[in-house]
Amino acid sequence: MSEIENGVTAENNDAITSLLFQLADDDFLYAYRGSEWLGLAPHIEEDVASSSISQDSMGHAAMYYQLLEELGVGNADELAHIRPSQDRRNSILTERVNGEGYYMETPKYDWAYQVVRSYFYTQAKKVKVDSLCQSSYQPLAEVAVKVRMELYYHRLHWETWFKQLFSSTEEAKKRMNEAMTLVMNDFGDMFSFGNQKQAIETYKLIDSEERLKKNWLTSIQPVFAALQMDVPAIPETLANNGRNGEHTVDLDEALLTLSEVYKVDPVASW
Amino acid sequence: MAVSESVSTGRVFDMLMTVKDPEIDSVSIMDLGMVEKVTTLGNTVTVVLLPTFLGCPALEVIKKNTIDAIQQLPEVEDVEVEFVFHPPWTSDRITEEGQKNLRAFGIAPPPRHFAEDGSWHVDCAYCGSTYVTMENIFGPTACRSILYCKSCKNVFEAMKPVSTLM
């Protein structure tokens, strides 16, 4: 396919690349953090379910990296594994640790945090993917249709956990509320396009930041109404904007671990 | 030296019938509706496949098995297998034969019809009873769910419905 047929021009190339990195890095880190729950989820059925969701999400990241590879940005595996943190465009929320401790030692992970992060992230992803189905960049629109079908199950799953824990014991509610505070503190860049905002919106690659925010709030409203709770506010100011490569140490540590095997033998076929 | 003979697509489709899902050996990729297009140009064969789930680890195995199967045709020199995402694979692409073969493996095929509210139900893969409960919407692979039949008391799996209407 020629570049013109694909809808890529010299002008919109940076905007497309930038958006693809945001989408790819988000799902990649989200899937990585989800996979750290393997063997630690509250019960075996949940272990199966959340592993499946992590696997799907990694598949979505792989597709976005593949689209970048097709644009000549680099090899998909390398884009996923060896880019340093300042080159990453994921949201801060997706890079945060699951809790104290390390997976191989004594992880003290917080399931309430996992549920709230996953539910809010998945709902945000749905809002974006719905919009991407109409993207002016056709290859991205086609992938979005595919992602959307799988996301249906993810959203259903996390919404169920979210509702049930908030309708449970006082301790569950307390922990869920604490988790929600933590998640919302990091939610400021979820719908940000960073420095590429204008270009991404001008070329109609996806709806505007404002529109996506509004859609997200509308989409979670019925669940909050049923729980007789107020919809949380998305922070206007943020300490770090992941879309511009501003990250926390959590990301450096994640990258060190997740690229460890790849770096042992970068030319191996996995 | 053998005289070069062009490849017929019919012969390729026959070989594709032998490429099974790596985890469900009763079901071929043709049964699953994964084969979107077969083109032959002289002695080169190109097969376009639709991935079921994007993160499915079986995709690379399926690709390799497809190449190996087609290369068994003596008239074939080159085989290319490509995955595309458009049109998206949906569970209604599974053929009648595929539904039968899934059931033979103990997996209930995805429902053909959705209710107006988007809900669906599956019948027991063993006894056909509708008296079933969903144990886990996520099963041993991304495309399968785990159910329990209250009639014949069997745990069974069902292939998830995947639709653009969801």
Side-chain angles (χ1 to χ4, degrees):
Chain A
M1 223 184 290
S2 80
E3 291 201 338
I4 300 300
E5 272 178 77
N6 238 345
V8 183
T9 63
E11 290 76 38
N12 66 12
N13 183 63
D14 284 355
I16 293 172
T17 305
S18 178
L19 179 61
L20 285 173
F21 269 126
Q22 295 177 19
L23 297 165
D25 292 345
D26 261 4
D27 274 342
F28 188 65
L29 266 298
Y30 172 72
Y32 172 72
R33 288 303 181 197
S35 71
E36 282 190 313
W37 274 99
L38 184 63
L40 303 172
H43 52 81
I44 194 163
E45 293 287 306
E46 180 53 36
D47 222 33
V48 172
S50 64
S51 297
S52 227
I53 292 173
S54 298
Q55 186 184 313
D56 283 348
S57 305
M58 194 58 88
H60 302 167
M63 292 307 110
Y64 295 130
Y65 287 127
Q66 187 61 42
L67 290 180
L68 284 159
E69 182 174 318
E70 284 162 19
L71 287 171
V73 179
N75 167 276
D77 286 337
E78 286 180 14
L79 296 177
H81 287 99
I82 57 174
R83 286 158 51 238
S85 60
Q86 67 269 21
D87 289 354
R88 302 275 168 167
R89 295 292 176 265
N90 59 279
S91 58
I92 300 295
L93 182 69
T94 56
E95 73 197 35
R96 289 289 188 198
V97 292
N98 287 307
E100 290 172 34
Y102 291 98
Y103 181 81
M104 298 297 283
E105 290 156 23
T106 42
K108 287 167 69 185
Y109 292 170
D110 181 356
W111 185 249
Y113 182 72
Q114 171 68 352
V115 169
V116 177
R117 164 157 69 178
S118 295
Y119 175 51
F120 284 8
Y121 174 76
T122 305
Q123 196 70 56
K125 181 169 163 180
K126 174 163 167 42
V127 160
K128 290 184 201 182
V129 165
D130 281 349
S131 174
L132 288 171
C133 289
Q134 275 87 49
S135 177
S136 66
Y137 185 48
Q138 196 56 26
L140 179 53
E142 288 168 4
V143 168
V145 171
K146 191 79 191 108
V147 171
R148 191 175 181 274
M149 291 190 280
E150 297 178 15
L151 204 56
Y152 169 85
Y153 290 104
H154 304 180
R155 205 200 56 77
L156 193 67
H157 184 78
W158 294 121
E159 186 182 287
T160 305
W161 266 106
F162 187 83
K163 282 199 251 184
Q164 286 185 348
L165 287 181
F166 259 122
S167 317
S168 174
T169 61
E170 284 309 309
E171 191 195 339
K173 276 186 220 170
K174 180 174 165 285
R175 290 173 63 170
M176 286 294 282
N177 271 313
E178 286 166 3
M180 200 156 68
T181 305
L182 280 178
V183 167
M184 289 319 291
N185 281 345
D186 287 333
F187 219 66
D189 65 357
M190 183 54 70
F191 299 104
S192 166
F193 302 132
N195 300 332
Q196 288 288 325
K197 172 180 161 67
Q198 209 191 342
I200 286 171
E201 293 178 356
T202 303
Y203 294 112
K204 301 203 183 314
L205 300 176
I206 187 170
D207 276 322
S208 69
E209 291 178 356
E210 292 69 27
R211 178 79 204 197
L212 295 174
K213 274 187 204 176
K214 195 167 154 279
N215 289 353
W216 183 79
L217 292 168
T218 309
S219 71
I220 60 168
Q221 211 281 327
V223 170
F224 278 77
L227 294 167
Q228 295 181 306
M229 290 172 10
D230 292 330
V231 172
I234 300 171
E236 290 296 329
T237 54
L238 40 155
N240 299 305
N241 188 338
R243 311 305 184 184
N244 291 336
E246 300 158 12
H247 295 285
T248 67
V249 289
D250 289 6
L251 180 60
D252 289 304
E253 286 165 14
L255 295 179
L256 213 56
T257 306
L258 68 84
S259 63
E260 196 180 336
V261 177
Y262 181 80
K263 283 176 180 164
V264 169
D265 186 358
V267 292
S269 174
W270 298 103
Chain B
M1 206 178 104
V3 179
S4 181
E5 182 195 343
S6 296
V7 186
S8 82
T9 50
R11 299 249 296 162
V12 176
F13 279 118
D14 288 345
M15 294 313 286
L16 290 173
M17 287 299 290
T18 70
V19 181
K20 305 293 184 186
D21 181 305
E23 287 177 318
I24 314 171
D25 63 13
S26 62
V27 182
S28 78
I29 58 172
M30 291 286 289
D31 291 338
L32 287 172
M34 289 179 73
V35 180
E36 169 65 6
K37 203 168 145 194
V38 171
T39 45
T40 58
L41 185 66
N43 305 96
T44 302
V45 178
T46 308
V47 180
V48 176
L49 298 178
L50 307 180
T52 49
F53 276 67
L54 288 177
C56 178
L59 294 179
E60 281 304 310
V61 181
I62 289 173
K63 184 174 179 175
K64 187 183 174 296
N65 292 350
T66 303
I67 294 172
D68 290 350
I70 297 172
Q71 261 167 351
Q72 283 178 30
L73 295 171
E75 66 271 30
V76 170
E77 273 170 21
D78 275 320
V79 185
E80 287 212 14
V81 174
E82 188 189 349
F83 282 103
V84 301
F85 312 107
H86 185 76
W89 180 85
T90 51
S91 50
D92 56 13
R93 292 181 63 103
I94 298 172
T95 63
E96 291 283 330
E97 189 68 10
Q99 298 221 338
K100 203 180 85 194
N101 294 342
L102 274 173
R103 236 180 258 116
F105 195 82
I107 297 177
R112 287 265 186 217
H113 304 290
F114 290 76
E116 270 181 27
D117 64 357
S119 66
W120 73 89
H121 84 273
V122 287
D123 296 334
C124 175
Y126 298 109
C127 73
S129 168
T130 55
Y131 191 34
V132 301
T133 54
M134 174 78 78
E135 293 293 309
N136 192 345
I137 205 161
F138 294 91
T141 67
C143 56
R144 282 138 79 181
S145 300
I146 302 169
L147 291 90
Y148 178 73
C149 177
K150 292 190 176 182
S151 294
C152 71
K153 317 279 187 220
N154 273 306
V155 173
F156 68 99
E157 290 176 20
M159 194 166 269
K160 276 182 197 160
V162 171
S163 162
T164 51
L165 303 172
M166 285 170 158

